[in-house]
Amino acid sequence: MPASSPIPVPALSIWALPGIPEVTTGDDLVALIADAAGPALADGDILVVTSKIVSKAEGRFVVADDREDAITAETVRLVAARTGPSGHTTRIVQNRLGIVSAAAGVDASNTPDGTILLLPVDPDASARAIAAGLRARLGVEVGVIVSDTLGRAWRDGQTDHAIGAGGVRVFEDLRGTTDAEGRPLTVTLPCVADELAAATDLVKGKAARLPVAVVRGRADLVGPLDLPGARSIVRALETDMFRQGADEAYADGFAAGAASRAV
Amino acid sequence: MPASSPIPVPALSIWALPGIPEVTTGDDLVALIADAAGPALADGDILVVTSKIVSKAEGRFVVADDREDAITAETVRLVAARTGPSGHTTRIVQNRLGIVSAAAGVDASNTPDGTILLLPVDPDASARAIAAGLRARLGVEVGVIVSDTLGRAWRDGQTDHAIGAGGVRVFEDLRGTTDAEGRPLTVTLPCVADELAAATDLVKGKAARLPVAVVRGRADLVGPLDLPGARSIVRALETDMFRQGADEAYADGFAAGAASRAV
């Protein structure tokens, strides 16, 4: 916000933390982040930590020549698959965390040659542990989000999303409040955790080693460490209209239709 | 970014513009935004404008007792439908802009009683016109995004997305660049326009009358007015694995399977 701004308006500052070194198995992320953030953190700040460094600290490397095998191992449910002109098959799957994404979050970029990196074991627990550690060490009430880059249905490209959250609200629940005309905002449930993750991707970049960013200005979203985690963002299967790809659902329906006639 | 930050790091400032009055048909958004932003805008700033005020300025009100009829009129293609316990049917549709969303973007909140609001006629053209107007009036090279609140497959809640863009890159194309280990980032295509829209929702809010926010710090994304618009974010139908809901695709498959046996 420009210093000349005449009256207070809602504003955010977002900045990447410089000086986070290459993370390896067993590293103490709380110490690395605290050292990088220095005394700059304040009550109500929200840190967004790229899941890659959480995975690395947890030693989630797998020596694998075949990324496809690792994806299969991480997959709980195949949602859709599509083979492109190159012959490569992209699999959209739901992983053990409930997250629907391409390749189950298995990552082969920014990892040592011959290794791939799995997602953190429990990103909500990781986020809570980092938040708890930073609160204890620095004496400031911060929230932590663990982010991952995900593709989307219907829209090209990717945006960063929250896959873990500790001490920060993932939804801003406006249900029960009213609009400017006094009518209820019945279905509005902004996923602020995903919006925070997306916002920080704009300063973290993909190729640079800037895996942590800080958002200041939404202290109202920071709270106790036992707030619901990012797992609560996952839509329940029974209400998910896109729980299966169109081709897969059609094929299942076709088989069932053919069988119904055969009987 | 705290003033004490020792070295320059990537940083954003995001603030909402106070003082935008209630917008009505025929209002000059360039003048309203320029008056609200005052001399604070600088080269490289990106303004994110809530589609609602663009629609209102364009007079996209429809007097309608039946919102469902308006949704039907805006629908190009039904993607999925689901009837909830209350008996209300939610329709996920693709509208004439290519956007897949619940209710075709037809909006009955923050509008006068008895009216509903349709999306802008051409949000990319609106964004370009606002950017061109602000550039001419204020002498600063700004970009403009028109945003809307959209639900997502697989994840609960909503986030703001870009449905129009003028003078700002919608994708940051990293394909062809390399990661920190020197390997190509082959499939990485961050949708920065959606990330900018999501980021500004964190300061605009839903219930308040703060329909415009400014992002400072990504001047590299601002460019000529003829850059591709947000229409280019829409995934092509032939590569969209979720072009139809699972239940709908299953039903179509079942019918085809049964017919194949009947012949």
Side-chain angles (χ1 to χ4, degrees), chain A residues 61-250:
Chain A
F61 296 101
V62 177
V63 178
D65 292 327
D66 189 356
R67 180 165 175 262
E68 298 305 316
D69 289 346
I71 295 169
T72 301
E74 289 287 293
T75 295
V76 169
R77 192 173 67 83
L78 179 69
V79 177
R82 184 182 171 79
T83 301
S86 69
H88 175 76
T89 298
T90 298
R91 281 181 282 171
I92 310 296
V93 304
Q94 188 165 35
N95 68 16
R96 68 198 153 69
L97 301 168
I99 300 163
V100 175
S101 70
V106 171
D107 192 350
S109 67
N110 282 305
T111 58
D113 269 339
T115 65
I116 55 169
L117 193 62
L118 307 182
L119 286 178
V121 173
D122 182 345
D124 281 328
S126 303
R128 288 189 186 109
I130 297 169
L134 289 170
R135 289 179 184 197
R137 188 180 182 114
L138 300 174
V140 289
E141 193 185 59
V142 297
V144 171
I145 286 170
V146 173
S147 67
D148 196 21
T149 302
L150 301 177
R152 303 89 53 81
W154 318 314
R155 299 174 78 81
D156 277 329
Q158 306 90 32
T159 55
D160 275 14
H161 292 72
I163 67 165
V168 58
R169 265 168 268 281
V170 297
F171 292 112
E172 182 168 26
D173 198 341
L174 301 176
R175 294 173 298 187
T177 65
T178 56
D179 69 13
E181 303 290 326
R183 280 168 308 198
L185 287 164
T186 45
V187 297
T188 305
L189 188 66
C191 186
V192 284
D194 281 347
E195 294 186 327
L196 288 161
T200 52
D201 190 42
L202 294 165
V203 299
K204 291 195 294 191
K206 285 284 178 293
R209 282 206 176 100
L210 291 167
V212 183
V214 183
V215 179
R216 177 168 295 168
R218 287 303 306 266
D220 60 300
L221 299 176
V222 175
L225 292 172
D226 61 354
L227 284 169
R231 186 68 177 76
S232 66
I233 301 171
V234 174
R235 192 181 287 274
L237 199 62
E238 58 271 24
T239 63
D240 185 354
M241 290 189 264
F242 301 94
R243 64 192 177 280
Q244 194 178 26
D247 288 344
E248 288 73 16
Y250 184 96

Side-chain angles (χ1 to χ4, degrees), chain B residues 5-263:
Chain B
S5 188
I7 59 168
V9 291
L12 294 182
S13 293
I14 303 179
W15 67 96
L17 293 185
I20 306 253
E22 181 66 22
V23 173
T24 54
T25 304
D27 279 352
D28 178 354
L29 287 185
V30 170
L32 293 179
I33 294 170
D35 288 350
L41 291 184
D43 284 342
D45 284 349
I46 300 166
L47 291 98
V48 182
V49 180
T50 304
S51 63
K52 189 184 296 277
I53 67 165
V54 178
S55 294
K56 286 182 173 178
E58 292 180 1
R60 298 278 289 157
F61 296 100
V62 177
V63 178
D65 292 326
D66 189 356
R67 179 163 174 264
E68 299 304 317
D69 289 347
I71 295 170
T72 301
E74 289 287 294
T75 295
V76 169
R77 191 173 68 83
L78 178 70
V79 177
R82 183 182 171 80
T83 302
S86 69
H88 176 76
T89 298
T90 299
R91 281 181 281 170
I92 311 295
V93 305
Q94 187 166 37
N95 68 15
R96 66 196 155 70
L97 301 168
I99 301 163
V100 175
S101 70
V106 171
D107 192 348
S109 68
N110 282 304
T111 57
D113 269 339
T115 65
I116 55 171
L117 193 63
L118 307 182
L119 287 177
V121 173
D122 181 345
D124 281 328
S126 302
R128 287 189 186 110
I130 296 168
L134 289 171
R135 288 179 184 197
R137 188 181 182 113
L138 299 174
V140 289
E141 193 185 59
V142 296
V144 171
I145 286 170
V146 173
S147 67
D148 196 21
T149 302
L150 301 177
R152 304 87 54 81
W154 318 313
R155 299 173 78 80
D156 275 330
Q158 306 90 31
T159 56
D160 275 15
H161 291 72
I163 66 165
V168 59
R169 265 168 267 283
V170 296
F171 292 112
E172 181 168 25
D173 198 342
L174 300 178
R175 294 173 298 186
T177 65
T178 56
D179 68 14
E181 304 288 326
R183 279 168 309 197
L185 287 164
T186 45
V187 298
T188 305
L189 187 66
C191 186
V192 285
D194 280 347
E195 293 186 326
L196 288 161
T200 53
D201 190 42
L202 293 164
V203 300
K204 291 195 292 189
K206 285 285 179 295
R209 282 206 177 101
L210 292 167
V212 183
V214 183
V215 179
R216 176 168 297 168
R218 286 304 305 266
D220 59 300
L221 299 176
V222 175
L225 292 172
D226 61 355
L227 284 169
R231 186 67 178 78
S232 67
I233 302 172
V234 174
R235 192 181 287 275
L237 199 62
E238 57 270 24
T239 64
D240 185 353
M241 290 189 264
F242 301 93
R243 64 190 177 281
Q244 193 178 27
D247 288 342
E248 288 74 15
Y250 184 95
D252 284 358
F254 191 98
S260 74
R261 284 285 183 163
V263 171

